[in-house]
Amino acid sequence: MPDAELIPPIGYSGAWLIIGIVLIVVVIAAIVLILLLRASKRSSPPQPLPPGGLAGLRAEYHARITEIETEFAAGRLSARSAHHRLSAVVRQYGRAVSGIDAPVMTLTELQSSPLPTVAAAVAEYYPASFESADRSEISSAVARARQVIESWG
C-alpha cells in the first residue's frame, strides 16, 4: 500500500484547552463566591439595640409573647400557630441580640450555633408545630420563650 492513502490525525487548536481551563476556573470561582456570600449573611453584625438598650428589647419581645398568649386564650390562634409564632419570636430575639441570622436557620444549624437557649426552645416547639392534633394549652411554651428572653445579658 502506498503511504499516500493514509491521512494523518487532525490536530486540535490550543484554544480549546485554554477555553476548558477558563470554564473550570469560572465554575470554581462561582462556587467559592456563593459560599462566601452565604457565610456573610449568616453572621451579620448585630443591629444596634433600640432606645432603652437590652431592657427595652426585652420589654418589646415580652410584649410579643404576651400578645401570642392573649390571642391563644381568646381562641383567635390555634396551639399550632402559637408555637410557630413563639418560635419566630425567639429566633428574631436571637438575631436582634447576637446578629446571627437565626430566623432562617434549620434546627440542626441552630443546635450547632452559639445560641443554645434559642435552639432548645425551637426544639421544644417543633413537635407541637408539626403535629396534627391541636393542644389545649401553651403555657410551657410561653414560659420557655420568656426564659430565653431573660437568659440574655
Side-chain angles (χ1 to χ4, degrees), residues 31-112:
I31 291 171
V32 168
L33 181 65
I34 289 170
L35 292 174
L36 288 175
L37 288 175
R38 286 187 70 202
S40 69
K41 285 183 182 178
R42 289 257 165 90
S43 60
S44 59
Q47 300 296 322
L49 293 176
L54 189 57
L57 192 65
R58 281 183 178 157
E60 175 187 338
Y61 279 88
H62 276 301
R64 290 182 188 186
I65 293 167
T66 302
E67 177 185 337
I68 293 168
E69 186 178 29
T70 304
E71 285 185 31
F72 176 77
R76 294 188 305 266
L77 197 61
S78 69
R80 185 175 184 179
S81 296
H83 282 89
H84 278 295
R85 288 184 55 191
L86 286 169
S87 177
V89 166
V90 167
R91 288 169 179 263
Q92 290 164 358
Y93 184 77
R95 177 177 55 194
V97 173
S98 71
I100 296 172
D101 208 5
V104 297
M105 296 173 87
T106 65
L107 179 58
T108 306
E109 291 170 331
L110 271 175
Q111 289 170 332
S112 64

